Amino acid sequence: MTTMRTVRVDTLREPLKICRVNIPEIGDDEALVRVTASGICRTDWHLWNGDWAWLGLKLPMPTTLGHEIGGVVEKVGSRVKGLTAGTRVSVPFNFACGCCPQCRKGSQNICDDASWPFMLEGSGGWSEYVRVPNASLNCVPLPESVTELDAAALGCRYMTAYRAVASRANVKGGEKVAIVGLGGVGLAAVEIAVALGAQVIGIDTREAQLKAAAKLGAVATLNSSGLTPEQAGEKVRALNNGTGVSASIDAVGVSNATLTALESLMKGGRMATVGLSSEEDKGLLTIPIDKLVFSEWSIAGSLGNPQPEYAKLLSMIDAGRLNPSQHVTEQVSLEDVQSVMDRMPKFDTNGYVIITKFD
């Protein structure tokens, strides 16, 4: 077999097409991975809409989206080490070079020469096969008990939440944590923070999401619909004996969510933000800088998860402390991708939607 099925973007905001194309050829440092599970993420929807042009991001056309990839190595190039055909893997969405200053210090998630699956021909996850560059680094083998469905579920939203909670906000057992925005990243952050021993306050405008956070172990929830960030912060204090929380996670990226996460903090509190803005803010918002100074708040950006931190994340899944696939609410086929994308403007895709049918 020399061809495969793929979902292709020919024009921004125009209907996606299912095409048959050649299976990618691989180079000496690359791997060919047979995709068995691939997520449909809101990031894909943003890319399809042409967002983040203000960051200089421009998709090549045509392209295939999909960056939450679980699969099985089909073959490897002659220079690939530590991988063989049949190895089950997760594929991080940030393809790192392995040799720049950031990679050398273990921050492959902010590699100076990073590439992404949707930017490389033959690497987008909405296909039967993908080629993975620098495969010795960019294919992460899975423990026996971690499934390929888990791998797709953790491929973007979940591992992003893990990095934000465990590393960038540095959440510790016993701390109070506010998580703003209980979508795919936010609910994963609730689960991870609870597993680390934190007491979580979940904040969203949708009752269904608040109930989901409570089911995952949040000790309190807050419906912030109609509230200013300052009012939401006061409500958080009321839920927490009059004081703010030690840490907060902005899992949305729009100004109201970011500022709510900030206003929820106690003095000396830490906020990690993982959401990327949309057309409304174009990456810019106003921060209450005087409050930040007087309260000594810290703000940390958080992008994905560097390859060395997968070991700890996968060990928590392997031990049963975390369960990314519990967030999977739908398993669909390549034919269903367009309808899922069409539902996203209404936030009608609760949980993770994963492609598991490719032929």
Side-chain angles (χ1 to χ4, degrees), residues 270-344:
R270 316 173 303 275
M271 182 185 84
T273 180
V274 299
L276 288 173
S277 68
S278 56
E279 188 67 28
E280 180 183 355
D281 293 315
K282 289 187 171 67
L284 299 174
L285 58 88
T286 301
I287 294 289
I289 195 70
D290 292 338
K291 281 187 179 180
L292 184 145
V293 170
F294 274 90
S295 299
E296 287 201 342
W297 290 333
S298 299
I299 301 176
S302 190
L303 176 69
N305 191 53
Q307 277 80 334
E309 291 189 16
Y310 270 82
K312 190 176 293 185
L313 170 58
L314 291 173
S315 70
M316 291 181 73
I317 299 168
D318 193 34
R321 295 177 62 196
L322 296 175
N323 179 17
S325 60
Q326 73 174 307
H327 298 275
V328 177
T329 54
E330 296 179 62
Q331 296 185 45
V332 300
S333 68
L334 288 177
E335 281 79 8
D336 299 318
V337 173
Q338 182 67 63
S339 65
V340 175
M341 296 282 272
D342 290 340
R343 289 158 49 197
M344 285 194 174

Side-chain angles (χ1 to χ4, degrees), residues 225-250:
S225 182
L227 299 179
T228 66
E230 294 84 356
Q231 290 169 335
E234 287 302 315
K235 295 280 189 182
V236 169
R237 291 187 222 306
L239 289 169
N240 193 33
N241 301 317
T243 188
V245 294
S246 299
S248 64
I249 307 293
D250 163 29

Side-chain angles (χ1 to χ4, degrees), residues 86-243:
T87 303
R88 298 178 313 108
V89 295
S90 179
V91 180
F93 68 73
N94 52 301
F95 292 157
C97 72
C99 57
C100 72
Q102 298 301 331
C103 285
R104 287 200 300 270
K105 71 177 185 180
S107 298
Q108 292 88 351
N109 58 314
I110 51 173
C111 169
D112 290 333
D113 297 306
S115 56
W116 293 270
F118 45 81
M119 298 296 286
L120 296 179
E121 185 178 354
S123 295
W126 296 349
S127 296
E128 292 184 87
Y129 295 88
V130 296
R131 71 177 179 96
V132 181
N134 195 12
S136 301
L137 177 63
N138 294 319
C139 284
V140 179
L142 301 174
E144 186 175 347
S145 67
V146 179
T147 69
E148 291 128 71
L149 186 64
D150 288 324
L154 67 84
C156 173
R157 289 163 279 188
Y158 201 92
M159 58 93 151
T160 293
Y162 176 79
R163 167 80 167 167
V165 173
S167 298
R168 301 300 284 157
N170 195 26
V171 169
K172 304 297 184 185
E175 289 188 319
K176 293 286 182 68
V177 181
I179 296 174
V180 183
L182 301 173
V185 173
L187 288 176
V190 171
E191 183 191 0
I192 292 161
V194 169
L196 292 173
Q199 298 180 57
V200 173
I201 298 173
I203 304 173
D204 203 288
T205 60
R206 299 162 292 171
E207 284 298 325
Q209 302 308 103
L210 297 172
K211 290 177 182 176
K215 188 175 179 180
L216 287 167
V219 297
T221 59
L222 170 63
N223 190 323
S224 61
S225 182
L227 299 179
T228 66
E230 294 84 356
Q231 290 169 335
E234 287 302 315
K235 295 280 189 182
V236 169
R237 291 187 222 306
L239 289 169
N240 193 33
N241 301 317
T243 188

